[in-house]
Amino acid sequence: MERLAETVVRRRIAVFVAVAILSAIAGVFAAKLPTDMNVAAILPAENPDVVFFRVTGERFGTNFVNMSALEADDLFTNENLTTLRAMTNAAADVRGVKFAMSVTNLLDMQPDGEGSISVREIVPADGIPTEAAELDHIRHLVLDNDMLAGNLASPDGKAALITIMLEPGQDPKIMGAALKDAIRKAADGRAGTVYFGGVEMIVDFLGKTIGGTGMVITMSLTFGVFIVLLGLFIGRVLGLVASLATAGLATLWSLGALGAMGVTLNLFTSMLPLLVIVVAVPMATLIARAAARAKGTGSERTVIAVKQFGGAALGAGFVTALASLASLAMDLPIFQHIGIGLAIGSASAGILAVTLAPALLSFGGEKEPAHSIADRLLGGITAAGVEGKRAVLLPVALIVLVVFGFLATRISRDVNPMSTFPAGSEPVETENLMQRGFGGSQLFQINVHSADVRHPAVLEQMDLAKRRLLNIKNVNYPQSIADVLIMLNTNLNNEPSTPDEIDKINNMWFMLEGQAQVDMLIDRAFTDAVVQARIGDIDSSVVGPAMEKINEVVDAVPHKLVSVSLRDRPSNELDKWSEALAERAVEKLGLDVRRGLDKDIDSKDLTAGLAALRSEKPTIDSVLRSEIQDRYAAYLKSDEADIVLPDDFDVTPTAEALAFLDDPSEPAVIDVLKEKLPADVLAEDPAGPTYAAPILVGIYNKSIKRWRHGEALKLAREKINGLAEAMAKDPSLNASVSSSLWTINSETANVTPQKYEEITGEAPQADNVIELQARVTGWPQVNDMLHRALPKMMKAGGFLALILLAVGLFIGTRTLIGTVAALLCVTVTAVVNLGLMTILGVPLDNITWVILLIAVGLASSSALAVVGSRRRGLPLPAATVGAMMLPVAVGFAFLMLAELGMQALLGVFIAVSALAALTASLAIVPGLVGEDEPE
Amino acid sequence: MKRRLSVFVLALTMVMPSLALAESADEILAKTDKAINNYNDMSMTSIMHIKESSGAEKTREMKIWLKGEQRLVKFTKPATDAGISLLSTDSSTNYVYLPAYKKVRRVASHVRNQTFMGTDFSQEDMAILRYGDDFTPTLKSEDENTYTLEVTRKPDAKISYSKLQLIVNKKSYVVERIDYFDNGGDKVKTEVRSDFKEIPGNEGVYPVPTTITMTDAKTGHETVLKQEDLTINKGLDDEFFSQRNLKRPVR
């Protein structure tokens, strides 16, 4: 080190030139370092779950969705609906927005008589009503619609959401700001509270917070206090300059290296500069303070300083770099990038501390030793004093290690991402609104993949998945394309289920084509669809258990199904198929009852009863026959009738004759028509009866289905205690039970290949087997996956760090006892941080690793400084170590004032690490190393 | 004095014929409406080609019959849509026949700007028969071959567009291009009519566009309608446009 110091001093110009060249190169790469402040950028891009999340998000637009909300005492007033419409239109008009959707621009399809529907805007486009009755009507249209209540309007009618879909490729910061600006202007001066949510909105909030006055003041205060204290503790201006230059250039080189590697800085890794500065400053301060305390010319003092502490400074850089590289063992790019960046930064700092810093310090003139605040505070601490107390200090250190180590094992695993944001801030208030009005903000999807997800078999599985999700605590408002089809089928055909044949679905699709809401549930190639829902809380203690149950729902989706048209099956199989339909109906009903009545049903009796309803020929009593006759008559008299009858023709005899055909066939119907209708009508249109026959047969079949459904409902109410009352009170349960029981009317049975073989005695043909896959995705799934992987990653990284630390410290101290002492210092510092996290209720999170790296960096510097001085028989450098740590502790403590939780936490634990490192190195090392001091 | 008067009168007579020949916007629009409606009934085969902004494409084929406000559409391709039929008896009432259900459903749509089956045409676009009923014209410009008319929605008109810009052929008065504007004055879509085929109409020939391209200004989504087998004045009676006829096979 002495030779190095002399060389540096002698060739300081060359050192400056070399540093300048390296800094220029680093600067070029650092300037090009891309940043992506999208919160999604912290996710590991290559992780299969993350890849699937992105792909699904792009496919269904959830990657591009933001939201705004309006909350008021009552949404359904002229004033508030006007505000909501203005906000929606303002959002839609922002460049880069694909569409904005709220209840003010949604269409509603309502039954309008038998088999007719009326399509109109829920809120009239040509003016918001002012009459109470009209507003009340809108309220019912929205809140009685399961697809809207809880999704676009809160069930209590106080809040509404605006879903804003962006065009792909928009700049999050620009879009967030533009949307907020437009929506706020539209809502300005009107009643109600406006909220914003979504990635782009949060990026805008973070950008404004980080660049805002509060943060500027906090950072100014932090660095201002830090620099002033550093100057006072070093005692020389040139020393301060050398320290800051070392830290600054180490940071630049670190960023330049990351830029050259093609790394993109994100919200997490953007704290790297702060980390490098915190660990780099003490290394240079060690040299600067030592130089300030020496006597002589600048060159002489520099040589002395480097001789005394150059090894420690370089060693600290090397050891911190090694420990940081343990991050590479962690399977998360954000940790790996932080590790690499800190490794390069700390190694650079170590090198610069023994090259650039001495080169700068050598310019100082002839000086007497400078005494600083550090000497006044800590100068009284001597090696002898510490050695004398080692019988107390060492056991205390061990006790601290054990106690805080124990506390560290109790560290909370429950993470609430909202803790990043200050109370009362926009993201927190929006999250609160989402939880109280919309079942939470944590949207997840079960993606279902098949050759055609509109196949009745697949739709039935989506419907089942939804029912299962409704039975999971904290999972709210599930919906899928199956719900849209059920609603349409109910309104158009009075059949409360998904269509049971693919031809019917193709026809239904005709009505849905081009609807924006549909694109969010099914892709245009029809190979993928989602069942989406929300988790009611963002805290990992809620998300974790919910995700476990959601995964069970996914596992329950069969991979193969056979869809069997019951029209073609042999009669000897029909009983078994009826039983299969009944089992499916009871399966669905069981889920409804568990949700509505919180109990399981005894399925055996009910299944047998429903199967009998399906398989046995219905007994057509006079009431049913009369209903059928009326429907025949209504058809024959209608404009839709395929036979043009004179206005004065009495259709009653014809309808009656038809009604007395039990299980009519088309030929039988044609015969009746030819017998009963006027000859001139038949002569005019001979094809008429041929066209009318299938319609009339259809009317009969539909009537039987309605009768069967009615009987099934009666049976269910009879067999399940409390069901009738629950259905009367809960329209949603009523609709769900009705839909479940309609299953026995299905013309198609969807069963597993095993069940098919059980019924038919043969394996299904490959062409008839439908393959499907289900997989869950969404922010909660990805976060939960990473959250569960974190402890294992931290253990792997920690274990490797410990080994690398031991190796590095051994190389740095060159003695076993020195290694043990330094390792003990570092371990105590790290464990104190973890224990304090437990005491303060700070959970184990990504930031924990960063805190540990800081602790390692600071403790390594202070421990090596003390070990180095003991090896050379020098006085205990308490004041020097104090100068290294105290400005960091006090200065960065001001970060606790930061609005963002992550930065405030960093402030706390940087201060704690610095103080713990100072105390541990002064209390532990002299007690251990003093006994084994080498020559 | 007398000579000056003569010069004045001469000058006036030279100017006045050109004043007399220049058409007003109202006149142009009236002629345009007449040109559009130069038939009693019409039938055609239409091939609708929808191009998404992502590049994905879809094609539908249908037969269409028109008479005044009445419109009957029967889909023939693809197979999943074959047999589906639509009947419009007026601007807000539609009937749809879904063959899988063997039932005719009445769909009363009160939403004029609802898109038609994922295309860029809305019910409203297809229902506009006479621009003069709902719009007030202004002549913006003209060149050798065309007039550019800006037609603004009348106060009591129930049209979702605040204005349209029509490019009208000077010779035939057919509309070659329409730009549609929303209430904010932003252009939302453009319809280009081309490949005109002249067929005898009620008065003279009736130039019918065999290609109509509608493009969404915001998304780039495009619908191209190709019209073939055009015939007019076949003598379709009102009975043809009935629910009964929805179920019968294509003639």
Side-chain angles (χ1 to χ4, degrees), chain A residues 92 97 107 112 115-120 489 492-493 507 510 513 524 639-642 644 685 691 695, chain B residues 52 58 60 75 80 98-102 104-111 117-118 218 243-244 247-249:
Chain A
V97 170
L107 298 181
D112 185 13
S116 297
I117 60 166
S118 176
V119 180
R120 58 176 76 236
N489 206 17
L492 269 184
N493 304 308
N507 281 192
F510 189 84
E513 194 120 22
R524 292 206 175 186
D639 289 338
E640 192 201 333
D642 293 274
V644 181
D685 184 16
Y691 285 107
I695 309 300
Chain B
E52 308 275 350
K58 191 170 187 170
R60 279 198 166 96
F75 289 85
T80 49
L98 302 176
Y101 289 94
K102 295 186 174 53
V104 174
R105 302 291 180 208
R106 187 175 71 91
V107 179
S109 176
H110 304 274
V111 183
M117 296 185 55
K218 210 173 179 184
Q243 293 180 50
R244 198 163 296 118
K247 301 180 211 169
R248 303 287 172 112

Side-chain angles (χ1 to χ4, degrees), chain A residues 485-654:
Chain A
L485 286 165
I486 291 172
M487 182 193 67
L488 198 54
N489 206 17
T490 306
N491 289 341
L492 269 184
N493 304 308
N494 212 6
E495 292 182 13
S497 74
T498 53
D500 56 356
E501 292 171 305
I502 191 67
D503 285 346
K504 291 180 182 174
I505 289 173
N506 284 332
N507 281 192
M508 285 275 137
W509 210 259
F510 189 84
M511 311 285 291
L512 292 175
E513 194 120 22
Q515 302 293 327
Q517 306 93 290
V518 167
D519 284 344
M520 295 180 76
L521 296 171
I522 184 169
D523 79 342
R524 292 206 175 186
F526 305 142
T527 56
D528 289 81
V530 289
V531 182
Q532 63 184 27
R534 294 202 184 101
I535 299 178
D537 203 322
I538 199 170
D539 196 292
S540 62
S541 63
V542 172
V543 172
M547 286 309 307
E548 276 177 25
K549 292 286 179 190
I550 292 163
N551 281 319
E552 286 174 16
V553 171
V554 172
D555 291 340
V557 176
H559 294 300
K560 289 186 186 193
L561 286 168
V562 184
S563 190
V564 180
S565 170
L566 299 183
R567 298 182 207 272
D568 309 327
R569 300 315 302 173
S571 53
N572 62 337
E573 283 179 11
L574 287 178
D575 281 351
K576 289 183 188 166
W577 288 117
S578 297
E579 195 182 320
L581 285 178
E583 283 169 357
R584 182 52 52 85
V586 168
E587 182 184 8
K588 292 179 187 175
L589 184 64
L591 291 166
D592 296 331
V593 168
R594 199 178 307 145
R595 170 172 64 105
L597 295 168
D598 197 22
K599 67 180 185 186
D600 291 327
I601 57 175
D602 181 0
S603 58
K604 206 169 164 199
D605 253 358
L606 194 51
T607 306
L610 292 175
L613 270 177
R614 173 61 199 237
S615 60
E616 287 168 9
K617 207 172 149 111
T619 311
I620 301 178
D621 60 14
S622 58
V623 171
L624 180 56
R625 198 179 299 282
S626 175
E627 280 175 18
I628 295 172
Q629 181 178 322
D630 289 343
R631 287 181 189 132
Y632 286 151
Y635 162 72
L636 289 169
K637 283 190 287 199
S638 72
D639 289 338
E640 192 201 333
D642 293 274
I643 306 166
V644 181
L645 294 170
D647 290 339
D648 59 354
F649 181 78
D650 181 6
V651 300
T652 308
T654 310

Side-chain angles (χ1 to χ4, degrees), chain A residues 150-174:
Chain A
N151 283 300
L152 283 178
S154 61
D156 61 6
K158 289 181 188 289
L161 282 188
I162 304 170
T163 301
I164 305 166
M165 176 78 80
L166 305 182
E167 299 281 357
Q170 301 303 309
D171 184 315
K173 226 171 150 187
I174 294 173

Side-chain angles (χ1 to χ4, degrees), chain A residues 71-77 80 139 156-159 191-193:
Chain A
E71 189 180 36
D73 288 338
D74 181 5
L75 178 67
F76 299 98
T77 64
N80 291 328
R139 180 196 307 276
D156 61 6
K158 289 181 188 289
T193 311

Side-chain angles (χ1 to χ4, degrees), chain A residues 354-440:
Chain A
V354 297
T355 53
L356 176 69
L360 283 170
L361 291 167
S362 67
F363 281 99
E366 183 81 36
K367 293 253 193 306
E368 289 297 312
H371 291 277
S372 72
I373 296 178
D375 295 295
R376 282 194 282 280
L377 284 173
L378 299 164
I381 301 174
T382 61
V386 172
E387 275 180 67
K389 293 187 179 68
R390 71 176 169 206
V392 171
L393 290 173
L394 288 178
V396 166
L398 285 171
I399 290 168
V400 164
L401 185 64
V402 167
V403 168
F404 279 84
F406 172 74
L407 285 170
T409 62
R410 316 298 290 174
I411 200 166
S412 169
R413 295 291 328 283
D414 296 334
V415 175
N416 189 329
M418 281 295 122
S419 61
T420 302
F421 305 103
S425 64
E426 183 184 281
V428 170
E429 290 302 302
T430 302
E431 175 62 27
N432 290 342
L433 171 76
M434 291 302 291
Q435 287 188 20
R436 63 174 178 268
F438 299 94

Side-chain angles (χ1 to χ4, degrees), chain A residues 679-756:
Chain A
D680 56 339
V681 166
L682 293 170
E684 175 87 25
D685 184 16
T690 309
Y691 285 107
I695 309 300
L696 291 161
V697 169
I699 288 172
Y700 174 85
N701 289 334
K702 190 71 176 282
S703 301
I704 296 303
K705 284 183 180 179
R706 285 185 186 171
W707 167 83
R708 194 184 284 141
H709 186 235
E711 292 299 303
L713 280 165
K714 268 191 226 162
L715 186 65
R717 287 188 187 114
E718 201 181 295
K719 296 280 181 195
I720 301 168
N721 202 14
L723 181 63
E725 293 80 13
M727 284 173 69
K729 279 188 206 155
D730 184 350
S732 169
L733 179 68
N734 188 43
S736 198
V737 168
S738 183
S739 173
S740 298
L741 291 171
W742 189 267
T743 305
I744 61 169
N745 281 323
S746 178
E747 301 293 348
T748 309
N750 304 307
V751 297
T752 59
Q754 293 80 4
K755 185 74 180 179
Y756 178 88

